[in-house]
Amino acid sequence: MDTEKLQQETKRGLPKPVKYTLSFLGVTLLCAALTLLGVIWVLEKGPSPTATETFTRSVRETSAIRWVARIFLSEEELERYKSVSSPSAEGKSVNTSLIHIAEREQSGEDEGAGYELLDISEGTCKGKLLIVDDPKRVILGTSDNFGRDAGWELTEMVERYGAIAGINAGGFNDEGGRGNGSTPQGLVIDDGEVTWGAKHQGGFHVVGLDEDGILRVGFMTVQQALDERIRWAVSFETYDGLASALIVNGEVQKQNLGGGVNPRTAIGQRSDGALLLLVLDGRSISTLGATMQDICDIMLEYGAVNAGNLDGGSSTVMVYDGQIINNCASVVGPRRIPTAFLLMEEGDVDG
């Protein structure tokens, strides 16, 4: 008898309330998917060329959803929105005579911290700017396990180095948005030693600091970087090959200003040597993000003579006092990264 009842219940299938609920969820998901596709179609094929260009360049800069640009656009159409900066178009070399770093004594208790943290709200851009008076207090932190294990979250790197603050630095291999931050992109120089990219025969888009605390941005080989006495350096270029040098000797490098609207990280330097560590949020209700031009505008406003673009997107993070103080765009939390620029206490930095 029990067997017959079970067979009858099985034939009846799921209870009606469950069926209705599943049907409702299915229709809702279908409508949401169709709506999303409709929005993408309008952005990619709609009447506004500006919206199409901005959307396409923005998603092409991401590692996880680059494929979205191909939903309605052919490869031929995508080529119109591809920006590639060649080494020959990298721009001028940094003129170190434009930077005059004053000799600084150890700060007394009543002389201030030697740095200033500012909230940035320029147009649609929102973020944080850390101004460091003495550039030699900024060093490169590394996860110390390149190509093997996973990288470190920025909070972990700041803690391990005993730093005051930090921002993410160089790029890393991140195919499909699944990178674990263990393999740096390009060149890494840690305290004057080449720790990644030494065997590469070509050049790199370099952002680094030399032994005098002068910010260097430009295309150079490993040997050229060592000849310039670069002490700390990383590399980053966008998926379309845009170079890192954004401002050189007070001039915006317009050939490197492609790309879309995304979270951004950058580093700049004023003529008095002070470093500008900038993070701009994005992919949120309050702000979609910033363009390369936005970075340049903000850097110039705060006196930058030279400035370089660093890894952005979901990697864009600033840590201060042990906490993330900007809006991290990653939906799964802070990413693991291989390198970071760190602000140290004055007594912790040699040279």
Side-chain angles (χ1 to χ4, degrees):
M1 190 59 138
D2 290 340
T3 303
E4 291 179 2
K5 285 184 178 180
L6 181 60
Q7 290 175 345
Q8 290 175 358
E9 290 292 334
T10 302
K11 288 179 182 180
R12 293 194 195 103
L14 295 172
K16 285 185 178 182
V18 176
K19 289 181 179 179
Y20 292 151
T21 301
L22 292 176
S23 297
F24 175 77
L25 290 175
V27 171
T28 301
L29 290 174
L30 178 61
C31 290
L34 292 175
T35 300
L36 180 59
L37 286 173
V39 171
I40 294 173
W41 186 91
V42 170
L43 290 170
E44 293 186 356
K45 307 291 284 188
S48 173
T50 301
T52 300
E53 180 174 1
T54 300
F55 176 77
T56 303
R57 289 184 182 276
S58 297
V59 297
R60 281 177 65 85
E61 286 185 319
T62 69
S63 53
I65 60 170
R66 299 188 76 225
W67 54 270
V68 170
R70 295 187 173 89
I71 293 178
F72 296 111
L73 295 176
S74 65
E75 289 298 326
E76 183 178 352
E77 290 174 309
L78 287 174
E79 282 297 315
R80 298 202 300 264
Y81 306 112
K82 184 177 181 180
S83 302
V84 177
S85 176
S86 65
S88 61
E90 183 68 5
K92 301 178 181 178
S93 298
V94 168
N95 181 355
T96 58
S97 68
L98 298 177
I99 309 298
H100 304 281
I101 303 174
E103 290 293 330
R104 293 177 171 88
E105 298 180 356
Q106 292 275 330
S107 297
E109 291 183 3
D110 60 344
E111 294 182 3
Y115 60 86
E116 184 179 9
L117 182 61
L118 303 176
D119 289 317
I120 296 297
S121 182
E122 302 283 343
T124 61
C125 299
K126 298 181 186 301
K128 301 288 183 180
L129 176 64
L130 182 63
I131 304 176
V132 181
D133 294 340
D134 183 357
K136 290 187 178 182
R137 290 181 61 183
V138 174
I139 70 169
L140 185 71
T142 68
S143 61
D144 200 30
N145 52 6
F146 293 163
R148 301 191 302 274
D149 302 320
W152 298 344
E153 291 183 12
L154 182 55
T155 49
E156 180 182 5
M157 198 172 296
V158 167
E159 181 181 2
R160 290 197 183 205
Y161 275 81
I164 297 171
I167 60 172
N168 64 293
F172 55 93
N173 292 353
D174 191 29
E175 289 299 322
R178 297 184 297 272
N180 66 358
S182 68
T183 306
Q185 178 188 79
L187 176 68
V188 177
I189 299 180
D190 183 0
D191 204 6
E193 179 183 352
V194 178
T195 56
W196 192 262
K199 297 180 179 180
H200 186 74
Q201 298 301 311
F204 303 95
H205 298 291
V206 173
V207 178
L209 293 162
D210 67 18
E211 292 178 355
D212 297 321
I214 295 177
L215 179 68
R216 303 297 193 106
V217 293
F219 189 85
M220 60 189 76
T221 64
V222 173
Q223 190 57 52
Q224 287 172 330
L226 294 176
D227 290 343
E228 295 291 341
R229 300 181 300 116
I230 291 181
R231 186 178 180 186
W232 318 99
V234 295
S235 297
F236 177 70
E237 63 181 52
T238 69
Y239 280 93
D240 282 343
L242 287 173
S244 295
L246 295 181
I247 301 173
V248 180
N249 304 330
E251 297 181 0
V252 174
Q253 305 301 287
K254 296 186 181 298
Q255 71 272 11
N256 297 331
L257 297 189
V261 176
N262 276 300
R264 305 286 183 186
T265 305
I267 183 171
Q269 188 169 45
R270 301 188 317 210
S271 60
D272 64 355
L275 289 178
L276 310 173
L277 309 184
L278 176 68
V279 295
L280 296 174
D281 296 335
R283 302 176 190 171
S284 67
I285 296 175
S286 61
T287 175
L288 294 177
T291 65
M292 300 291 192
Q293 183 65 59
D294 291 328
I295 296 176
C296 293
D297 291 344
I298 294 170
M299 284 291 183
L300 290 173
E301 179 182 347
Y302 285 89
V305 176
N306 300 297
N309 183 48
L310 299 171
D311 194 7
S314 298
S315 300
T316 290
V317 173
M318 179 181 286
V319 168
Y320 177 74
D321 197 22
Q323 302 293 324
I324 295 174
I325 59 172
N326 71 305
N327 181 30
C328 177
S330 175
V331 296
V332 295
R335 306 198 70 187
R336 294 181 177 274
I337 56 177
T339 56
F341 282 115
L342 306 175
L343 168 61
M344 307 298 292
E345 295 283 359
E346 287 181 301
D348 295 338
V349 183
D350 297 324

